[in-house]
Amino acid sequence: MSTQNALLTILVEKIKNDTLVLPTLPAVALKVRKAADDPDINLQDMGEVIGQDPSLSARMIKISNSAYMGRAVKVTSISQAVTRIGLRQIKNIATALAMEQLFVSKNELVGEYMKKEWANTVNVVANAMAALQMYITRTKKRELSLDTMTLMSLIHSIGVLPILTEAERHTEVFASPSFLDDAIDKLAPKVGGSIMRSWEFGEEFVVVAERWHDLAYIPEKLGYIDFVRVGAALAGQIDNKKDAVLNLAIQRGVVEDVNSLLSDDFAEMRAAAKQIFA
């Protein structure tokens, strides 16, 4: 039995027995989510929670001034930022901005993978957000929100993290990136679902993590998963299924046609979305 298969077996066992160490949400994201769920919270209190984390505060101000919020007047303080973004959206946006903290490793090779994974994920996010914006502009339908879309696309391949962490403990296998790619391909979706459950995210997040790459799964109603798939296809994450994903997206009315995804409008929106994470 090759080392690769042995490690794959270990991983599968750990997943089965629930002993795989799952990442925890960054502390600041937990605080913000808890605060947002408090029915008595007000904007000022929320500003204080975010204000405790200088890096998150700076990014919140940046996102308030981004093309996404589309206002001419610049905000300069966290309280203005919180007011502009609004309590409902802040929970998702703060979580999204904090997630980058998870994609780091002390091991050089794993660190490289993490960096690559984060860059990939940001591309998926930017594509999915741009696709949703074009959809809203075209259809005037607003049941899907950009802040939730951001978070949905950020967690779509979160299952990769524990696999990389586990591999960090067996660095001898790292001679083979092909092993990693294989393990990620086979196991990340299931692990992603487990992470979403352990973080107590809603069922829709679980479904996105577990099923986004499984094109046999087509929900009746158009949802975030449709946009995550377009985002992933455009980011080169599913090269062999790209045409299938885009055709399905056109059939389901996610996008009008392939040309709209090649348009300057789309490119501008995607660039604006990427700026948020730059």
Side-chain angles (χ1 to χ4, degrees):
M1 190 172 180
S2 73
T3 340
Q4 293 200 16
N5 290 340
L7 188 50
L8 206 52
T9 311
I10 292 171
L11 279 171
V12 171
E13 273 306 299
K14 288 195 165 190
I15 292 168
K16 253 204 329 240
N17 309 328
D18 269 347
T19 52
L20 190 67
V21 179
L22 301 179
T24 53
L25 252 185
V28 63
L30 275 172
K31 271 190 199 152
V32 171
R33 294 184 76 80
K34 199 174 156 213
D37 289 338
D38 174 356
D40 299 324
I41 189 96
N42 60 36
L43 287 167
Q44 192 187 345
D45 298 340
M46 183 56 100
E48 281 167 16
V49 173
I50 291 166
Q52 291 165 12
D53 187 294
S55 129
L56 184 61
S57 303
R59 298 185 83 161
M60 277 290 185
I61 292 171
K62 181 177 178 180
I63 203 171
S64 309
N65 291 326
S66 73
Y68 271 91
M69 293 286 160
R71 311 274 172 81
V73 182
K74 294 280 181 225
V75 308
T76 50
S77 71
I78 195 64
S79 64
Q80 290 171 316
V82 171
T83 308
R84 180 170 288 185
I85 294 170
L87 279 177
R88 193 186 60 79
Q89 293 175 299
I90 250 170
K91 181 176 172 179
N92 289 337
I93 288 177
T95 308
L97 294 176
M99 289 224 345
E100 188 174 3
Q101 297 173 16
L102 297 175
F103 289 78
V104 287
S105 165
K106 292 186 176 67
N107 175 291
E108 199 182 342
L109 193 53
V110 180
E112 278 306 305
Y113 255 86
M114 291 274 197
K115 226 164 60 206
K116 198 174 86 190
E117 195 55 48
W118 176 250
N120 256 335
T121 299
V122 169
N123 278 330
V124 176
V125 172
N127 289 326
M129 284 173 79
L132 178 57
Q133 269 197 302
M134 288 188 78
Y135 171 81
I136 293 170
T137 308
R138 191 180 84 242
T139 62
K140 308 287 179 274
K141 291 182 180 162
R142 293 194 168 273
E143 60 273 21
L144 300 178
S145 73
L146 276 169
D147 57 292
T148 308
M149 180 75 263
T150 307
L151 194 52
M152 284 280 179
S153 34
L154 268 176
I155 60 88
H156 81 285
S157 61
I158 192 84
V160 172
L161 291 180
I163 295 169
L164 289 175
T165 310
E166 196 57 37
E168 206 168 352
R169 299 189 189 133
H170 304 267
T171 36
E172 68 285 357
V173 186
F174 258 122
S176 149
S178 68
F179 158 72
L180 259 188
D181 296 334
D182 190 39
I184 284 169
D185 206 38
K186 288 185 178 136
L187 305 175
K190 193 160 174 26
V191 177
S194 306
I195 296 172
M196 290 298 94
R197 288 190 185 93
S198 81
W199 287 2
E200 294 178 5
F201 280 32
E203 189 53 33
E204 213 173 345
F205 284 94
V206 176
V207 170
V208 164
E210 282 182 345
R211 311 292 295 271
W212 71 270
H213 68 300
D214 168 14
L215 296 188
Y217 173 74
I218 302 176
E220 255 176 73
K221 244 178 83 195
L222 192 70
Y224 293 104
I225 195 166
D226 290 290
F227 292 89
V228 169
R229 284 173 175 166
V230 169
L234 294 175
Q237 270 204 343
I238 29 180
D239 277 345
N240 53 343
K241 297 182 194 159
K242 183 176 177 180
D243 292 342
V245 169
L246 295 180
N247 288 333
L248 183 64
I250 293 164
Q251 270 168 27
R252 285 172 64 78
V254 181
V255 292
E256 204 165 9
D257 51 39
V258 174
N259 287 337
S260 63
L261 298 172
L262 303 169
S263 68
D264 290 348
D265 275 357
F266 185 84
E268 270 171 40
M269 288 173 192
R270 185 178 56 206
K274 274 188 89 159
Q275 269 317 105
I276 294 167
F277 296 98

